[in-house]
Amino acid sequence: MGIDSFDEQVNSLKDMMASAKRIVFFGGAGVSTESGIPDFRSVDGLYNQQYDYPPETILSHSFFLTKTKEFYRFYRSKMLFDPAKIKPNGAHLALARLEAQGKMDGTGVVTQNIDGLHTAAGSRTVWELHGSIHRNRCMRCGRSYPLSAVAESEGIPRCACGGIIKPDVVLYEECLDENVIEGAVRAISRADLLIIGGTSMTVYPAAGLIGYFNGDRIAVINRDATGADRDADLVIRHPIAKVLEGAVQTL
C-alpha cells in the first residue's frame, strides 16, 4: 500500500483494526528493544559481539549439557534483566488494551520473545513460542522456580533436591512446545487481521506459523524489510511502540 506519511499509515492500521473482529499479533525481538532489551541480530545485538563461542552455540542444548557453568555465565549476563528496571513499552501496553477492547477474542499475541513483557503489560492470551525466562524448572524433580532463583545464584543453579534448574526457554537443537504451537496455530488461523511486528521473519519454525493465516489483511511493522512484506496490505517502517500506541488510542 503506497502510503508515505506516519499519520496516514497509523490511520490505515487503525481502520484495519476497527473493521477486524479477531486480530492476532505475531512479534519478535524488535517489540522489546524500546524497553532496553537488545535485538539478537542488530548492529549492537548478541550476534555481533565477541565471545569464546558464538551465541547460537552457547544457547544450544548440547552446550547447556556439556558446558553448563559457561552457559549460565552467558545466560545471566546477556539474557536476563531486572524486572524492576525493564518495563513493558507502548507496544506491549497497546496490545494489552487491544485485547481488553475485545479485538483479540480467541487469538491474542504470538511472540518469539522470552522476556515476559506482554504478560507484564496485561495481555492474557500470549503464546510464547520460545518459552520464558520467568519460568524455571528442576531437571530432576520438576519443581518450579522464579527468575530470581537463576539470576541471584552463582555457578550452576541447583534445586533443593540437588538437581540442575533449567530455564523454560527453547534452546537451539530443542523442539518448540507442542501445546504452544497448537495454540499459536489456532490463534493465527482464526484471525481476520494479522499484525506482524518487530521481527525479521527469519527464525524457523516460528516464522512459518504465519502460513496458517486465512484472514483478509496483513500489516507489517518493522524497521527493515521482511519476508512477509510482499504479502502485506500495509508496511510500516516507523517505531512499533509509536505506531501501535497511535492506532489503538484512536480506535
Side-chain angles (χ1 to χ4, degrees):
M1 184 178 293
I3 301 174
D4 296 324
S5 79
F6 174 78
D7 289 340
E8 288 178 320
Q9 290 180 332
V10 169
N11 286 333
S12 293
L13 180 60
K14 181 197 70 174
D15 291 342
M16 286 184 178
M17 291 177 172
S19 61
K21 294 182 179 179
R22 288 191 179 95
I23 300 170
V24 65
F25 178 83
F26 183 96
V31 178
S32 294
T33 53
E34 293 179 53
S35 291
I37 297 177
D39 181 346
F40 266 58
R41 291 172 176 79
S42 67
V43 173
D44 298 319
L46 292 181
Y47 277 26
N48 291 285
Q49 297 180 27
Q50 297 298 315
Y51 301 96
D52 292 337
Y53 302 90
E56 60 267 33
T57 297
I58 300 174
L59 295 174
S60 68
H61 180 76
S62 56
F63 193 95
F64 174 82
L65 293 178
T66 59
K67 296 181 174 61
T68 311
K69 188 174 182 179
E70 288 84 352
F71 169 89
Y72 275 109
R73 183 179 299 117
F74 177 90
Y75 183 77
R76 289 190 188 93
S77 173
K78 299 300 179 184
M79 307 301 292
L80 300 186
F81 62 87
D82 184 352
K85 297 179 180 178
I86 302 295
K87 300 291 186 180
N89 61 54
H92 300 105
L93 296 171
L95 290 168
R97 288 197 298 271
L98 199 61
E99 183 185 48
Q101 292 172 7
K103 285 290 187 176
M104 299 178 115
D105 184 31
T107 54
V109 171
V110 179
T111 181
Q112 299 170 78
N113 297 341
I114 62 174
D115 51 47
L117 291 179
H118 285 292
T119 300
S123 289
R124 292 166 296 173
T125 304
V126 183
W127 304 103
E128 295 173 314
L129 297 176
H130 297 150
S132 172
I133 61 173
H134 296 279
R135 297 190 300 269
N136 303 272
R137 191 174 297 276
C138 173
M139 298 177 69
R140 179 184 294 176
C141 71
R143 179 177 175 180
S144 296
Y145 284 89
L147 170 63
S148 58
V150 175
E152 297 172 8
S153 64
E154 295 182 0
I156 301 173
R158 296 278 181 178
C159 174
C161 76
I164 296 173
I165 300 173
K166 182 181 183 295
D168 182 21
V169 298
V170 179
L171 303 176
Y172 290 99
E173 305 168 352
E174 294 181 344
C175 296
L176 303 186
D177 183 276
E178 290 186 8
N179 291 328
V180 175
I181 294 175
E182 290 175 4
V185 167
R186 191 163 54 246
I188 292 169
S189 63
R190 286 176 176 174
D192 54 5
L193 170 60
L194 169 63
I195 302 175
I196 299 170
T199 174
S200 59
M201 298 300 293
T202 59
V203 177
Y204 285 83
L209 297 182
I210 68 167
Y212 290 94
F213 179 65
N214 299 308
D216 302 320
R217 292 188 167 185
I218 298 175
V220 174
I221 312 167
N222 199 59
R223 66 181 185 186
D224 301 314
T226 78
D229 291 0
R230 62 181 178 274
D231 298 318
D233 300 280
L234 177 64
V235 176
I236 303 176
R237 297 281 182 243
H238 297 284
I240 189 167
K242 187 176 180 182
V243 171
L244 289 178
E245 282 179 320
V248 174
Q249 283 179 355
T250 58
L251 188 63

